[in-house]
Amino acid sequence: MPNPTAVFDTTMGEIQAEIYLDRVPITASNFIDLAQSGFYNGLHFHRVIPGFMNQFGCPHSKDPASRRAGTGGPADGQFKNLATGGMETRSNGGNIKDELISRDSNVPGTLSMANTGSPNSGGSQFFMNVANNSFLDHFSPGQSKHPVFGKIISGYEICEAISKVPTRNDNPVTPVKMNSVTIRM
């Protein structure tokens, strides 16, 4: 069975990505559950750095001017692991267990879990890499451990364009909104 595809409908255009349910089932199932619940709809990219990445997924970014953007996550609760059928838990502010099992690297066009730098602190926020950021790989030396859970298969030029918008403190001056995220299974 092929992996699901996420369709990101942004105010700058459409991006499609394969979601690696076969490689990181907890992380992928968490993302799919949030997307299917409408969690991401209406949020804004809150951190955009050219030559690095575009970060998204904080519920506080519904208001693009919120000073809390980048600090939030989903509610605690459970979601179904779509690979195993078992239930997984979001806790301590909507965080999931780190899933450091795939050797996919943070290369241009990949989707990767954002976190606070502490173990098991990823929830809803993720980023789209626009550079080779292999120093963020969980299997590379250093503190940052960001598991890759997907790869853009269409619309990478939109991702690059988002990374180059004018910003103030890494926040787009003209907000870039995620109209919707839909999943094709």
Side-chain angles (χ1 to χ4, degrees), residues 4 21 25 28-30 32-33 36 79-86 185:
L21 184 59
S29 295
N30 174 64
I32 291 167
D33 178 68
Q36 289 179 330
F79 61 95
K80 185 176 184 178
N81 182 318
L82 299 173
T84 68
M185 295 299 281

Side-chain angles (χ1 to χ4, degrees), residues 8-13 40-45 56 61-62 64 162 172 174-180:
F8 301 94
D9 174 24
T10 78
T11 52
M12 290 184 64
Y40 293 116
N41 301 349
L43 301 183
H44 295 83
F45 285 89
F56 174 78
S61 72
K62 196 161 265 264
I162 292 170
T174 300
V176 181
K177 183 178 180 180
M178 187 66 67
N179 297 316
S180 65

